[in-house]
């Protein structure tokens, strides 16, 4: 009998984390901190008691602006789940936090990559897999052995869920999913630490997650040769990742002087399923609108948070009417390994921020400055947090900043 998948994953997580992974993790930690800073202008920031939860409150807002990192084939956002779970623990060093982050990303992506298109049609993968990733990350912080790490992940997976119906409303359920995943993973890790065992075959078992939520499950993502955090994309623009190929193509055409109406956008099926919205009424809807994404760039804007707010929604209505959206089977065939689009004949296979086209350090810092400025925080504060996160070992300073800004 083969070893249960969750036990295999737990054993994989036990290997040492290298310096290249820690360096990559620093980028993703800073990216998440910038997203938390940018969300300070969100309506949720005024909900009082929720944001008195400190790091837990940060979990609620880390994906408010749709700028959180994303893994393409797993179709999930690890950063807003993993980092609040890690930073909510007492930490001795930045290395301890980074190693835990790498392991949390690995676990979340490994399970997410095994889920299929049927799952994504109904379930929110960040919610489905987030508890597993958070459990792995917290288990790493506390030095749990492979057996207990497996228990924690298995028990988190046993209560997996998160329905996509949320996208048909303007509710804050997506943010609640992230918070719930963090809390589930943290609780599962502490339970395992105290001897609460879990079912190793929870994924592939007869009544396990794959049987309940997929039709054709794939192999676990990642491998024993590397770490999946290197496969994660960063998002430069304040919109759903499905809209980023359209934004990228529009910016390329604009730079060439060739972005003129009418705008004929062709893209993959999921981008249309999630983001074909010609008349968004709210900022949340605008961030999930292909038509608005193209209009933003055509109007000379930078696809920053302000470009998806009420003023821009009203001002860009005429340009949105110039955008037609159609499905291209060839682009869908490359998805989800590649998020692409074709706009007025210009085709992009990969998007800025993907591993094939990574954001530079300066581009990430520009994102940090934009989000801090959007929330009314100073450039000096942005630079200080960037310096601490990217170049220092002072993990307590990161935790203190989160507590100061979320209470």
């Amino acid at each position: 009998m083969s070893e249960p998948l969750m036990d295999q994953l737990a054993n994989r997580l036990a290997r040492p984390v290298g310096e290249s992974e820690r360096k990559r993790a620093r980028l993703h930690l800073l990216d998440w901190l910038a997203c938390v800073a940018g969300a300070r202008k969100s309506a949720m920031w005024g909900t009082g008691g929720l944001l008195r939860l400190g790091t837990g409150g940060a979990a609620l807002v880390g994906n408010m602006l749709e700028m959180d990192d994303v893994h393409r084939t797993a179709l999930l956002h690890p950063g807003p789940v993993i980092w609040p779970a890690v930073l909510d623990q007492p930490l001795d060093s930045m290395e301890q936090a980074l190693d835990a982050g790498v392991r949390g990303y690995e676990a979340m992506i490994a399970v997410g990559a095994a889920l299929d298109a049927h799952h994504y049609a109904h379930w929110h993968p960040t919610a489905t897999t987030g508890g597993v990733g958070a459990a792995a990350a917290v288990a790493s912080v506390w030095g749990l052995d492979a057996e207990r790490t497996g228990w924690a992940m298995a028990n988190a997976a046993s209560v997996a869920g998160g329905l996509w119906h949320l996208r048909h409303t303007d509710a804050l359920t997506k943010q609640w999913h992230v918070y719930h995943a963090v809390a589930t993973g943290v609780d599962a890790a502490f339970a395992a630490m105290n001897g609460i065992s879990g079912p190793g075959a929870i994924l592939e078992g007869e009544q396990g997650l794959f049987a309940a939520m997929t039709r054709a499950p794939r192999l676990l993502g990642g491998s024993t040769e590397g770490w999946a955090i290197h496969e994660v994309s960063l998002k430069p623009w304040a919109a759903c990742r499905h809209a980023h190929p359209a934004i990228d193509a529009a910016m390329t055409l604009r730079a060439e002087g060739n972005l003129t109406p009418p705008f004929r956008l062709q893209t993959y099926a999921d981008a249309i399923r999630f983001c074909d919205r010609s008349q968004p009424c709210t900022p949340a809807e605008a961030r999930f609108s292909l038509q608005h994404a193209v209009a933003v760039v055509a109007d000379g804007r930078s696809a920053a948070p302000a470009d998806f707010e009420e003023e821009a929604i009203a001002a860009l209505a005429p340009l949105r009417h110039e955008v037609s959206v159609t499905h291209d089977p060839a682009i869908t065939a490359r998805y989800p390994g590649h998020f692409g689009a074709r706009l007025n004949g210009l085709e992009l296979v990969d998007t800025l921020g993907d591993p094939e086209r990574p954001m530079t350090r300066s581009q990430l810092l520009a994102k940090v400055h934009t989000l801090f400025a959007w929330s009314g925080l100073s450039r000096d504060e942005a630079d200080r947090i960037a310096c601490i996160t990217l170049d220092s070992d002072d993990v307590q300073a990161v935790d203190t900043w989160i507590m100061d800004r979320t209470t």
Side-chain angles (χ1 to χ4, degrees), residues 278 291-301 307-308 311-321:
S278 61
Q291 293 87 344
H292 190 78
V294 174
V296 161
V297 184
D299 194 52
R301 300 171 184 244
D307 301 322
F308 298 86
E311 177 276 329
I313 293 170
L316 298 179
L319 278 172
R320 286 196 300 271
H321 284 300

Side-chain angles (χ1 to χ4, degrees), residues 5-20:
L5 290 179
M6 203 62 89
D7 293 344
Q8 293 179 32
L9 179 56
N11 287 327
R12 185 200 304 177
L13 298 178
R15 60 200 161 120
V17 174
E19 282 304 316
S20 65

